[in-house]
Amino acid sequence: MTAYTTGTITLTNGSTAVTGDGTGWATALIAGGVIYPQAAGNPLPIASVDSNTEITAATEWTGATGTYAYALQRQDDANQVIANAVALADYIQRLDNETLSALAGLTPAADRLAYFSGAGTAELTTLTSFARSLIDDANASTALTTLGVSAFAKTLLDDADASAALTTLGVSAFAKTLLDDADASSARSTLGAQAALGYTPVNAAAPDVSGSLISTGWFISGGAFNNTRSLILQQSAAAGAVRAEMQALERVGFYYTWLFRLSAGGAWVDMEFRSDGSLTVPGSINGASKNFLIDHPLDPFNRDLIFSSTESPHYGVEAWGVARLEGGRATVDIDAASNLTTGTWAALTQNTIVTSLQNQDGFARLRPGPVAGGQFEIIAEDDECGDLVAWRVVADRNDPVVKTLGNADPETGLLIPEADKEDLA
C-alpha cells in the first residue's frame, strides 16, 4: 500500500504526540500503521489517529525535537479495509438525495448559474460578465469601485448619519450648529451676536461692550517685555470674579508669545504659545485624538507625515533599550538607559511592568525579574547565554503633578477613565 507523505510532522523528544502541518490523516481514512520520520530516531507505530493533524504514537520519540518530512505506512489489515468501506458507504449515501439529483438534471451552458427554485428543484439563471466582475470583488469598497462610485462618494455612503456626512463634506462642527437653526434669531444666538449691543459704536465714550469686554490693561508691564494691550473677558468688575485675559508679548531678544490667563478668587493659571511652536499648559490636554504632524522626511515639500498617539486608560510612561547578557543575566538600569538622573524612574512611576523581552541574537528563552528602584534583571534559561536582548517597560505616573490633575485620583495619581457628562441645562 502506498505510503502517506503529505505535509510535515513536528516531534518532541520523549513524547508520543505527533503534530502535522498540511496533513489530512483523518480525511485520508488512516486507521493505523507506522510513521517513519526522515531523521535519526525510531519508527513510531500509530496508537490512534485523533484528527487531520494529530496522531498519538504507541512509543515515545527518541530522536531530537524538530519538524521533519516523513512517510506513513498504513496498516494493511481488516481494520483499514473496514474503515475504507464505511467511508465509501457514507459517501454513496450522501450522493443519493434529491438535491444532487436536481442539480444533475440541469444542462450546463455558458454564462448560466445554477440555483434552487424550490425543495428538490433547480434551475439556471443568466450570469453576465458584469455580475461576475462584482462577485469576485473582495469587499464592499471594491464592489463600489466596480459600480463606478468614486472614492469620495464611498466615504459619504458609509457615514452613519447626516452629521457624519456633513463632516465628510468638509462642513465644520460650528457650521453644522448654524445649519440646524430654525430661524435668524436662533442663528444669532449660535453666533453669540446680541440683539442690542448696549451702546452706539460710533459715539461710545468707553470701549466696553455691556461692561464685559474690555480692550485696555496689561498682563505684564515693564522689564524685558514689550506688550500689546490685553483683551479681557470678565464675569464682573468685583474682586475675585472669573476673568480671562489674552495678550501678545515679546521677550526682547528671546521669543514672542501669545499668552492666555484665567483667574478667579485671586488665583490664576497661564497658557502660553511661543514663536518656536511650543505650547505650555498648566494641566492636562483633552481631545478626541492627539496627533504628530511633521514634513515627510522623503518629500518635505509635497507631503506630511501624520502619526496618532496611543490611547490608554492610564497616565502611562514607557522606556526601552537593549542589554547584553553575561552568564545568562543582565541588570537593566532604566534611568541610565533613558539618560535620566539616578532615581528619576522610581520617583516618577508606580506599577512598572516589563512588557517585552526580545532576543536579538538567538533563541534562548528569557524572563524578567521584579522591577525595584528603577532596575530589573533579565534572566535567560541558558545560564551561559551572552545574547543581546531588547527590552520595554511601561508604568503609571506617580509624581506630585499628576495628582493635581482634575481627571486623576489625588491619592494614587491614577487616571479616572470615566466621568459623567456635565449638566449644561
Side-chain angles (χ1 to χ4, degrees), residues 54-393:
E54 296 175 319
I55 285 178
T56 300
T59 59
E60 296 178 350
W61 172 241
T62 61
T65 298
T67 300
Y68 309 107
Y70 71 101
L72 190 159
Q73 187 63 50
R74 305 170 191 254
Q75 65 182 20
D76 191 9
D77 59 14
N79 288 336
Q80 185 67 60
V81 173
I82 291 170
N84 293 345
V86 169
L88 179 59
D90 180 57
Y91 295 149
I92 293 173
Q93 184 178 12
R94 293 180 192 177
L95 292 172
D96 186 19
N97 63 76
E98 62 178 358
T99 300
L100 292 178
S101 296
L103 290 174
L106 298 176
T107 301
D111 298 325
R112 296 292 185 269
L113 180 69
Y115 72 98
F116 290 103
S117 56
T121 60
E123 295 183 22
L124 296 176
T125 188
T126 301
L127 181 65
T128 66
S129 59
F130 178 73
R132 289 196 297 273
S133 71
L134 275 174
I135 290 173
D136 66 7
D137 286 339
N139 50 49
S141 178
T142 307
L144 287 172
T145 299
T146 300
L147 290 169
V149 177
S150 70
F152 178 74
K154 285 193 284 185
T155 63
L156 278 173
L157 289 173
D158 64 10
D159 285 335
D161 50 40
S163 178
L166 288 172
T167 299
T168 300
L169 289 169
V171 178
S172 70
F174 177 73
K176 286 193 283 185
T177 64
L178 278 173
L179 289 173
D180 64 8
D181 285 338
D183 50 41
S185 177
S186 299
R188 283 197 301 272
S189 178
T190 299
L191 290 168
Q194 294 174 279
L197 294 177
Y199 71 95
T200 303
V202 175
N203 300 318
D208 292 1
V209 178
S210 298
S212 61
L213 178 60
I214 306 171
S215 60
T216 60
W218 310 99
F219 263 64
I220 306 167
S221 60
F225 292 94
N226 286 335
N227 310 81
T228 64
R229 291 184 179 273
S230 303
L231 174 63
I232 302 174
L233 307 174
Q234 63 183 24
Q235 186 181 38
S236 71
V242 176
R243 178 181 173 98
E245 306 175 45
M246 290 179 286
Q247 184 184 61
L249 59 88
E250 177 188 15
R251 185 174 184 187
V252 181
F254 292 93
Y255 59 84
Y256 52 91
T257 186
W258 176 82
L259 192 63
F260 175 84
R261 172 172 292 173
L262 182 66
S263 60
W268 67 85
V269 290
D270 290 347
M271 182 179 74
E272 184 177 359
F273 181 66
R274 291 190 177 184
S275 53
D276 62 3
S278 61
L279 173 67
T280 302
V281 299
S284 60
I285 298 177
N286 300 315
S289 68
K290 296 167 284 298
N291 296 334
F292 163 84
L293 172 65
I294 63 171
D295 293 335
H296 198 292
L298 299 180
D299 190 1
F301 295 104
N302 299 300
R303 303 185 69 198
D304 288 332
L305 184 64
I306 305 169
F307 286 179
S308 181
S309 62
T310 301
E311 311 301 341
S312 167
H314 296 268
Y315 272 124
V317 292
E318 59 182 335
W320 58 85
V322 293
R324 175 69 68 179
L325 300 179
E326 294 184 9
R329 292 173 177 260
T331 298
V332 173
D333 185 323
I334 302 173
D335 288 325
S338 306
N339 295 320
L340 298 173
T341 302
T342 299
T344 299
W345 187 267
L348 175 69
T349 67
Q350 59 184 320
N351 307 325
T352 299
I353 58 174
V354 181
T355 60
S356 173
L357 293 176
Q358 187 177 51
N359 194 323
Q360 304 294 293
D361 293 335
F363 299 95
R365 295 197 299 178
L366 311 162
R367 70 173 179 86
V371 180
Q375 296 184 344
F376 69 94
E377 191 173 26
I378 302 174
I379 305 166
E381 186 176 50
D382 177 4
D383 59 10
E384 296 182 358
C385 182
D387 292 344
L388 184 69
V389 177
W391 55 268
R392 192 182 195 95
V393 298

